Amino acid sequence: MEDYHKPDQQTLQALRNIANRLRINSIKATTAAGSGHPTSCCSVAEIMSVLFFHTMKYRPEDPRNINNDRFILSKGHAAPILYAVWAENGFMKESELLNLRKVDSILEGHPVPKQQFVDVATGSLGQGLGAACGMAYTGKYFDKSSYRVYCLLGDGEMSEGSVWEAMAFASYYQLDNLVAILDINRLAQSDPAPLQHHMEKYQRRCEAFGWNAIVVDGHSVEELCKALSQARHQPTAIIAKTIKGKGIPVAEDKMGWHGKPLPKDIADGVIKDLQSRILNSSKRLYPSMPSEDAPPVSLRNVRMPSAPSYKTGEKVATRKAYGMALAKLGRYNERVVALDGDTKNSTFSEIFKNEHPNRYVECYIAEQNMVSVAVGCATRDRNVVFASTFATFFTRAYDQLRMAAISESNINLCGSHCGVSIGEDGPSQMGLEDLAMFRAIPTATVFYPSDGVSTEKAVELAANTKGLCFIRTSRPENAILYNNNEDFHVGQAKVVHKSNDDHVTVIGAGVTLHEALTAAEMLKKERINIRVIDPFTIKPLDSKTIIEHARATRGRIITVEDHYYEGGYLHAVTTLSKIRCKKCIINVYS
């Protein structure tokens, strides 16, 4: 990076003026809304001023330009000051800030991607840095571009383990294009943060995780300019000592003001005082333009180059079929990337890694961070992202998954070793809650393939389906059921066994579909005919096909599943209003 040139006095004063205007607009917006976090905004005013009007390179009229530097407000409750920034740089009207938190305004209480200047939703604390890691990794290794990534965190969220997972990830991969700014304002919501203003402790912790850590006065625009301009050979943490509620005398460094707007009479007095601190300056600051060096990317029509090539009756585990399908998809689509959490030799994502080592990201045993990194990699439509681990281990990243949905993220998750069918490993390794978990996410599509052919089709469909996609794969090897030319669609079930006189409709998926087909042959010898359906996707469920065949079997349905009773496809079937299950059986493997 170029040598640091100290800004002239006019520039420094202009940055101070902007900081106070950001304070004023944050107070105006939260007072008008009757809710919000003005004190959390006021502690970062100088940080936001320096970042957006001195350090970052971006086009203010085009917030999602692929060449822009990225910014993530991990302490999402300080959203009003982010909105104030985008009013300050002319992207939106200042009057719009007074619509903060109104039901018909896009300016929600925490950042969401319906705002063009927001890439990932934040507010559930401790997740922003992981997403920033995904963006920085993409910038350095996939895009090989000069854009940088800046993430602003609060000291309260530094207690979240996911933050330190991200710190370890960034250091290991030498993300020297990543800067974390820590707003150390001492006070959390109900108590002081555990380290309060012990800046040296924050610095030692960051350094222990392999970061370049710089302590600054977070209200000194000059110190911030200098720290943010330093040459970097590793990820950098700017540890900024700030005062919560800075500029609001009644609230400065005082407990009891978190999340509380100022009453109008107090707000008017504070605003008048802040306005008096804005000194005349003829200098107008504009963001620097970014370099135009990010490669154009198209993620449309990410397809397999050919049909599956399995042999009927051949036995293959769907987890292995996933790895083979992913490698195949990556062979002809250079923006397909794969992440895993140290389970690649079990999920078979190692097949992708062996073929495409430069597009594989090992996230190690840090599932929360893995999901956040996936979300970051997928922002601005830069990559088609697949992330895999045992199905059961996604439960520890559920908050990241639900925030990914709020982020409108298009990421694909594969959970292997589902259900009790994994056998001897025991219940700690069994995914028995995963269908319930992903079915509850509004944007999720849930695939449950039953053989190699349907698994390959699921991978291809997931790559082209908006929202979160979850592919549930099994450990046991099972026979190929489908012809290689079989057509599969999201929300379309397959009737795999039927006669003209079936007594009951049986629904199974994965290993239980194969058990149902075995049962069908056994029962046939006793002159009992059953109809067997493979749902393929549990969400959306093919209600039309299920209702049609339920009627044909006089309303009798049995679901056979490898999942807990709650939230599996029994529950999905019984929510269909036009049918009633007479009896539902959960199959448990011993």
Side-chain angles (χ1 to χ4, degrees):
M1 183 175 285
E2 64 276 4
D3 292 335
Y4 172 65
H5 297 289
K6 180 181 174 181
D8 58 43
Q9 288 304 314
Q10 274 194 315
T11 299
L12 294 173
Q13 186 56 50
L15 289 168
R16 294 185 194 105
N17 289 347
I18 290 171
N20 280 320
R21 283 199 296 272
L22 298 179
R23 283 192 176 92
I24 289 168
N25 279 327
S26 298
I27 292 167
K28 283 182 176 178
T30 51
T31 296
S35 64
H37 300 75
T39 59
S40 300
C41 294
C42 287
S43 67
V44 297
E46 284 79 15
I47 294 170
M48 297 293 276
S49 173
V50 172
L51 272 175
F52 279 88
F53 296 94
H54 182 265
T55 303
M56 287 172 55
K57 296 178 179 180
Y58 66 101
R59 294 182 175 277
E61 77 285 357
D62 184 11
R64 288 204 179 127
N65 188 292
I66 59 173
N67 299 291
N68 286 352
D69 285 346
R70 274 64 163 160
F71 174 77
I72 302 93
L73 182 66
S74 191
K75 50 172 286 179
H77 50 285
I81 202 163
L82 177 63
Y83 307 155
V85 162
W86 287 91
E88 179 74 25
N89 67 21
F91 180 74
M92 65 180 179
K93 293 179 181 178
E94 200 171 288
S95 58
E96 178 63 21
L97 299 176
L98 299 179
N99 292 321
L100 173 72
R101 293 179 169 232
K102 289 184 179 177
V103 69
D104 56 349
S105 172
I106 66 164
L107 301 183
E108 295 188 8
H110 293 77
V112 288
K114 67 176 67 171
Q115 303 144 3
Q116 290 185 51
F117 45 83
V118 171
D119 288 304
V120 295
T122 53
S124 183
L125 293 173
Q127 298 187 27
L129 189 59
C133 284
M135 295 179 191
Y137 193 100
T138 293
K140 181 170 182 174
Y141 295 108
F142 300 147
D143 286 346
K144 298 179 172 61
S145 180
S146 61
Y147 64 80
R148 295 186 173 277
V149 183
Y150 298 86
C151 181
L152 178 56
L153 300 93
D155 49 2
E157 67 181 304
M158 299 300 289
S159 292
E160 289 281 7
S162 55
V163 170
W164 300 98
E165 289 182 6
M167 295 283 281
F169 179 95
S171 172
Y172 181 76
Y173 287 110
Q174 288 294 290
L175 300 181
D176 52 1
N177 57 345
L178 174 62
V179 180
I181 305 97
L182 314 184
D183 174 33
I184 311 301
N185 66 20
R186 195 179 77 83
L187 303 179
Q189 177 169 327
S190 63
D191 257 326
L195 298 186
Q196 299 203 35
H197 270 151
H198 292 288
M199 308 304 287
E200 72 288 350
K201 291 183 179 179
Y202 283 107
Q203 185 175 27
R204 287 202 300 270
R205 289 186 184 187
C206 292
E207 288 173 346
F209 273 78
W211 285 55
N212 176 33
I214 307 167
V215 175
V216 299
D217 175 353
H219 298 304
S220 167
V221 295
E222 187 173 345
E223 286 191 33
L224 287 163
C225 287
K226 183 177 181 180
L228 286 162
S229 298
Q230 286 195 13
R232 309 175 192 107
H233 304 289
Q234 62 197 114
T236 296
I238 309 295
I239 307 169
K241 183 177 181 180
T242 62
I243 302 299
K244 192 162 185 175
K246 178 72 171 176
I248 307 173
V250 71
E252 278 192 7
D253 201 33
K254 290 184 174 67
M255 288 300 305
W257 282 96
H258 183 90
K260 293 182 181 178
L262 301 184
K264 190 173 185 312
D265 57 337
I266 295 177
D268 289 343
V270 171
I271 289 168
K272 186 176 180 180
D273 179 55
L274 289 170
Q275 285 171 335
S276 72
R277 301 183 194 182
I278 298 174
L279 304 182
N280 288 331
S281 173
S282 58
K283 188 152 190 175
R284 170 87 176 155
L285 299 182
Y286 299 94
S288 299
M289 291 297 101
S291 301
E292 304 283 331
D293 59 2
V297 170
S298 174
L299 303 185
R300 293 181 181 176
N301 204 30
V302 178
R303 301 295 179 190
M304 289 290 186
S306 59
S309 55
Y310 289 100
K311 296 176 183 176
T312 304
E314 176 186 0
K315 285 196 169 186
V316 61
T318 54
R319 61 176 174 137
K320 186 173 184 179
Y322 163 78
M324 292 190 292
L326 190 56
K328 182 178 177 181
L329 188 69
R331 220 169 286 156
Y332 293 87
N333 300 276
E334 293 185 351
R335 297 305 293 210
V336 173
V337 302
L339 287 66
D340 201 289
D342 192 38
T343 56
K344 58 184 173 291
N345 55 345
S346 292
T347 63
F348 283 96
S349 66
E350 69 176 359
I351 300 173
F352 182 96
K353 177 183 183 289
N354 292 338
E355 276 200 41
H356 318 289
N358 294 333
R359 286 186 274 140
Y360 173 84
V361 187
E362 179 56 69
C363 296
Y364 299 98
I365 304 171
E367 292 85 3
Q368 295 180 56
N369 189 58
M370 180 179 74
V371 172
S372 292
V373 169
V375 171
C377 285
T379 55
R380 302 196 190 186
D381 296 328
R382 302 310 292 161
N383 303 293
V384 177
V385 183
F386 285 81
S388 51
T389 184
F390 285 19
T392 192
F393 300 145
F394 277 118
T395 58
R396 73 189 308 145
Y398 192 65
D399 194 22
Q400 281 73 13
L401 293 168
R402 74 175 189 91
M403 289 302 293
I406 297 170
S407 292
E408 302 174 22
S409 185
N410 302 316
I411 57 171
N412 309 295
L413 298 315
C414 178
S416 72
H417 292 65
C418 65
V420 284
S421 58
I422 73 164
E424 298 84 353
D425 276 348
S428 71
Q429 311 299 298
M430 296 174 177
L432 295 165
E433 312 86 355
D434 52 309
L435 291 178
M437 183 170 72
F438 281 97
R439 282 184 58 223
I441 296 174
T443 68
T445 299
V446 180
F447 295 90
Y448 194 178
S450 299
D451 76 341
V453 174
S454 56
T455 301
E456 186 167 317
K457 294 291 186 176
V459 168
E460 183 180 32
L461 286 167
N464 293 279
T465 300
K466 285 193 174 298
L468 268 69
C469 289
F470 176 60
I471 303 171
R472 190 180 207 231
T473 63
S474 305
R475 179 183 183 183
E477 293 183 345
N478 286 116
I480 297 297
L481 298 173
Y482 294 105
N483 184 286
N484 287 315
N485 294 317
E486 184 78 27
D487 204 17
F488 285 83
H489 298 279
V490 172
Q492 186 177 95
K494 299 287 184 183
V495 181
V496 292
H497 190 280
K498 65 175 288 192
S499 73
N500 293 327
D501 183 30
D502 290 327
H503 294 74
V504 63
T505 294
V506 177
I507 302 174
V511 294
T512 67
L513 178 66
H514 294 269
E515 295 296 322
L517 290 170
T518 299
E521 293 302 318
M522 294 172 65
L523 290 168
K524 191 176 180 179
K525 294 173 184 176
E526 300 179 29
R527 297 184 180 180
I528 300 171
N529 295 320
I530 66 173
R531 192 161 300 189
V532 181
I533 292 178
D534 171 9
F536 182 57
T537 55
I538 308 302
K539 182 187 177 183
L541 196 66
D542 186 352
S543 56
K544 183 175 179 291
T545 295
I546 290 173
I547 289 170
E548 174 189 338
H549 292 280
R551 285 173 174 161
T553 56
R554 295 179 288 279
R556 292 191 286 260
I557 292 180
I558 296 174
T559 62
V560 194
E561 62 186 284
D562 201 1
H563 189 272
Y564 280 141
Y565 179 88
E566 294 81 7
Y569 48 90
L570 162 64
H571 276 204
V573 169
T574 54
T575 57
L576 301 177
S577 59
K578 296 181 181 178
I579 63 169
R580 293 168 61 192
C581 287
K582 300 286 185 178
K583 189 172 184 180
C584 298
I585 299 172
I586 306 298
N587 188 56
V588 178
Y589 287 74
S590 59

